[in-house]
Amino acid sequence: MKELEERILRDGQDLGNGILKVDSFVNHQVDAELMDRCGRELARRFAGIGATKVLTAEISGIAPALTTALHL
């Protein structure tokens, strides 16, 4: 998703060791419209498997998991 990639490049922080800090728009100041579009895209990608639940890690996963579940 190009919009998410651009937002990560603009506002994300590479902390090293494979850690990408995105809390500025996923946790602390949730960009609800962006999370909705992410959820819609994830739901589209997983629509064919018949998922009825979405599991996530608490760390930066709740907002996109919630919107994914809503769209599924």
Side-chain angles (χ1 to χ4, degrees), residues 5-66:
E5 180 182 341
E6 290 170 356
R7 187 67 181 265
I8 290 169
L9 289 171
R10 187 179 76 223
D11 297 331
Q13 294 178 320
D14 181 358
L15 301 180
N17 296 320
I19 299 172
L20 178 62
K21 185 176 180 182
V22 293
D23 62 345
S24 65
F25 59 93
V26 177
N27 293 49
H28 301 301
Q29 295 178 348
V30 176
D31 183 334
E33 292 178 358
L34 176 61
M35 290 301 101
D36 184 63
R37 288 188 290 278
C38 289
R40 188 179 308 274
E41 177 62 19
L42 288 166
R44 183 189 68 76
R45 292 179 184 216
F46 290 102
I49 65 169
T52 59
K53 292 183 177 47
V54 177
L55 301 176
T56 184
E58 185 175 346
I59 302 168
S60 299
I62 294 172
L66 176 64

